[in-house]
Structures are given as structure tokens and as C-alpha cells.
């Protein structure tokens, strides 16, 4: 059941500290600064030179997040919409790892992307929540995100656990492909260890209620960020449109001046996600939307001068490693979407026209 919550979505948002503990448990060795993904035998990634991540919807945003992390580690990586990948597969060979990211493991687009590269020698890995799901049978290897069952159509805890698992996978890949290249990971491991507590702190102290109250009657919303914040901006907008039925659009803050700015008015709240990459540039973007009188909500740890100065509202996240900051920022945006949809009396757990698992292309 819903365990006292009004909706499964809210229950699952509040389950995130527990889900993340399950995701991370036993998978890091803080003393050796090593990742231990027991499902993957030694040598799984030997010879891998590039990574393709295929997924749809929220899982695609987790894939984009991982693309940013891998690129940062000097690994060629590209996230693809699996529905596009299956129709028009890019060149792959035995040095390519194709990672299928799917909560359900049953998404038809993602299964057909994997089938499209079968026989090419490309290596395949499933990253899923559901034990024994179809994607685990189509891929050579599987890593489980261990988020526990997700009932609400809107994916919440599965995104957090996907990203946490992908952070571990990126570390493992980085180790396998960069060999002994020293890279300081202690901050990252420390941040992962306290991630469940940091999410709990947001759940306990979030200012999302005030933000949802102030803005739930607007008709259009924009979400922007850079790096992993770009993925979080897209995810924030997807969640918002799915359950409020209002227009919401996410984009890279870098794109603002190249089109979206034309739509920014005093009636379009702008959510700016700060995750520690080029925050100065994003502050500049915030100033640009403020000049058009748009209300600004900054999602930030507050350490960056300017991020809070130009905002009408601040959704605070605890100070953490920048690879992890996006998970925390996304939890704040989940709460805003949920609370706004609830104020609008929407069908939160079963939004119109949507199904939990999309098994046709
Ligand atoms: C959004 C949502 C969908 C799914 C997408 C992929 O809240 O739930 O966008 O993320 O249909 O589903 P999976 O991850 O099961 O492959």
C-alpha cells in the first residue's frame, strides 16, 4: 500500500534515502577507493574504448548524466534515445560498450536498440531495477540499481538509484580504461557515503512547498543547467509536465540565448540548476531571464556567489561532490512537481495517457 502517503509518488520520493542505501551498500571500498560491482567479473571492461548509453524518458536523463561523468573522466561516451538508436544504429565494434538503462527492463525501444547491435561484437550491459526482466536476458551482463519496486508512473527513486549506480559504473570503467592514472576519488566516495543522509535533509527541510504555492498557476515553466545539471533540467521538466499537464521545457543553459529566451516572460518561472560546473555562466543566464522579469528559482548549495543573489526562491542542497549534486538537485525538483500537481488536483500516480512500462515502439 501507500504506507500513509497520499500517493505512491510521494512515498517513493520519501523512500529515496533507503533506496540509495540499498543501491550503494557493499559496492564501494572506501579504504581502497575502489568500486566493487559484484555482478561484473574482473575484465568485463577490458578493451572498451567508448560507451553508448541507450534509454528513454527518465532513464535517458540518467544516461545523459552518465555521459557527462564519463566524458569528464576522459572516456568517449554518448547517450542516445533508444528509439532513435534502434532505427539508425551508429557504428560499433568489440571496443564499444552499449549500456541499456531501463527501470522496468521491458521498454520496447530500449530492447530493440540492443537487438539492433547484436552480432556486431559490441559488448552489452543492462542497468535495471527489475530482476529477470527482458533486458537482462538480451544483454551479456546486468547491474541492478536495487531501488525496490516503483509503482508511481512518474519515475522518482529509480532515477536517483540509476544515477548512483552509474556513478559507480563510471568509476569502475574509469579504472578499467585509464589503468593506473591517479585520480582523487576520496571526495566522491565520501559524498556517496552521505548521499542518503543528504537526501533525507532535503526531504526534511525543503522549501518546495513555497515554490509550488507561488507558481503552480503559471502555464509554462523552464528548467536550465549545465553538465549533469543539463540532464537534471530535462528530468525536472519531464516530471513537471507529466504530472501537472502544464508546459515545461528543459534545456542546457548554454542554449538559452539561441532560442528559448524568446519565450521567457514574467509568467514563465525559470528553475536554474547549479551543480558546480560553469556556475558563473549559469548565473549570467539567470541575470538574462531576470531582465525579462521571469521569476527565478535557484537550486544550489549556495556556495556560489550570485546563484542565490538573483533568485526569487532558493531550493538548497547540501554541499557535496559535483558528480552527486545533480541527484540532490533533482530531489528538490521532484518535490516541486509533486506539490504543484497536488495543488492542481492531478491524477499523480496515473497521469493521463501514460503507462508505467511502454512495451510497444
Ligand atoms: C517518466 C517515466 C518514463 C520512463 C520511460 C523509460 O517519469 O517514467 O519516461 O522513464 O518510459 O522506462 P524504463 O526506465 O522502464 O525503460
Amino acid at each position: 500500500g501507500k504506507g500513509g502517503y497520499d500517493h505512491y509518488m510521494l512515498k517513493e520520493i520519501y523512500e529515496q534515502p533507503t533506496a540509495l542505501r540499498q543501491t550503494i551498500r557493499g559496492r564501494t571500498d572506501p579504504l581502497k577507493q575502489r568500486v566493487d560491482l559484484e555482478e561484473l567479473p574482473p575484465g568485463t571492461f577490458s578493451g572498451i574504448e567508448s560507451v553508448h548509453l541507450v534509454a528513454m524518458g527518465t532513464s535517458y536523463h540518467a544516461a545523459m548524466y552518465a555521459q557527462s561523468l564519463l566524458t569528464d573522466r576522459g572516456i568517449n561516451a554518448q547517450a542516445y534515445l533508444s528509439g532513435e538508436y534502434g532505427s539508425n544504429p551508429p557504428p560499433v565494434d568489440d571496443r564499444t560498450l552499449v549500456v541499456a538503462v531501463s527501470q522496468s527492463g521491458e521498454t520496447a525501444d530500449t530492447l530493440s536498440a540492443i537487438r539492433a547491435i547484436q552480432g556486431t561484437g559490441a559488448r552489452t550491459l543492462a542497468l535495471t531495477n527489475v530482476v529477470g526482466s527482458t533486458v537482462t536476458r538480451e544483454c551479456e551482463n546486468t547491474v541492478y540499481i536495487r531501488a525496490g519496486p516503483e509503482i508511481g508512473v512518474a519515475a522518482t527513486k529509480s532515477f536517483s538509484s540509476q544515477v548512483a549506480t552509474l556513478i559507480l559504473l563510471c568509476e569502475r570503467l574509469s579504472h578499467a580504461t585509464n589503468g593506473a592514472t591517479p585520480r582523487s576519488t576520496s571526495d566522491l566516495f565520501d559524498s556517496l557515503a552521505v548521499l542518503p543522509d543528504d537526501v533525507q535533509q532535503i526531504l526534511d527541510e525543503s522549501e518546495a512547498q513555497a515554490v509550488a504555492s507561488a507558481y503552480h498557476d503559471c502555464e509554462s515553466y523552464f528548467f536550465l543547467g549545465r553538465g549533469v545539471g543539463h540532464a537534471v533540467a530535462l528530468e525536472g521538466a519531464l516530471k513537471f509536465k507529466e504530472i501537472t499537464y502544464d508546459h515545461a521545457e528543459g534545456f542546457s543553459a548554454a542554449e538559452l540565448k539561441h532560442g528559448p529566451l524568446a519565450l521567457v516572460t514574467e509568467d514563465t518561472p525559470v528553475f536554474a540548476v547549479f551543480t558546480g560546473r560553469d556556475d558563473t555562466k549559469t548565473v549570467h543566464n539567470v541575470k538574462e531571464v531576470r531582465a525579462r522579469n521571469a521569476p527565478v528559482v535557484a537550486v544550489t548549495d549556495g556556495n556560489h556567489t550570485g546563484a542565490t543573489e538573483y533568485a526569487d526562491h532558493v531550493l538548497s542542497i547540501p554541499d557535496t561532490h559535483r558528480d552527486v549534486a545533480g541527484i540532490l538537485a533533482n530531489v528538490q525538483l521532484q518535490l516541486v512537481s509533486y506539490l504543484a500537481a497536488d495543488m492542481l488536483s492531478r491524477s499523480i500516480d496515473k497521469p493521463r495517457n501514460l503507462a508505467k512500462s511502454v512495451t510497444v515502439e
Side-chain angles (χ1 to χ4, degrees), residues 215-236:
Y215 303 124
H216 68 278
D217 281 329
C218 297
E219 272 167 24
S220 203
Y221 301 81
F222 298 112
F223 295 74
L224 51 85
R226 282 186 159 76
V228 301
H230 178 200
V232 170
L234 297 190
E235 174 56 13

Side-chain angles (χ1 to χ4, degrees), residues 309-322:
E309 198 175 322
Y310 302 101
D312 298 277
H313 289 268
V314 175
L315 296 169
S316 319
I317 59 172
D319 197 4
T320 189
H321 191 281
R322 71 176 183 192

Side-chain angles (χ1 to χ4, degrees), residues 223-230 233 251-257 270-290 296-300 304-308 310-311:
F223 295 74
L224 51 85
R226 282 186 159 76
V228 301
H230 178 200
F251 45 85
S252 164
E255 238 195 320
L256 180 69
K257 283 194 279 284
V270 175
F271 291 83
V273 179
F274 292 89
T275 49
R277 184 176 297 275
D278 269 346
D279 281 352
T280 311
K281 291 183 183 173
T282 306
V283 169
H284 185 72
N285 299 130
V286 162
K287 287 188 203 165
E288 288 169 326
V289 303
R290 277 205 59 125
V296 173
V297 181
V299 190
T300 174
H304 195 283
T305 45
T308 53
Y310 302 101

Side-chain angles (χ1 to χ4, degrees), residues 6 9 28 35 46 58 63 65-66 73 96 154 169 197 201 207 228 237 246 250 292 295 298 308 316 335 337 352 356:
D6 287 345
M9 182 182 176
T28 59
V35 167
S46 60
T58 293
Y65 197 120
R73 287 160 174 74
T96 317
L169 187 73
D197 299 327
Q201 189 182 326
E207 315 82 342
V228 301
D246 283 322
R292 277 83 190 171
T308 53
S316 319
L335 289 168
S337 289
R352 67 186 182 201
K356 181 68 182 161

Side-chain angles (χ1 to χ4, degrees), residues 14 39 67 96 102 144 162 164 213 251 260 273 308 314 352 354:
Y14 275 80
E39 296 105 315
Q67 174 189 315
T96 317
S102 175
Y144 288 107
Q162 281 172 338
S213 302
F251 45 85
V273 179
T308 53
V314 175
R352 67 186 182 201
L354 300 178

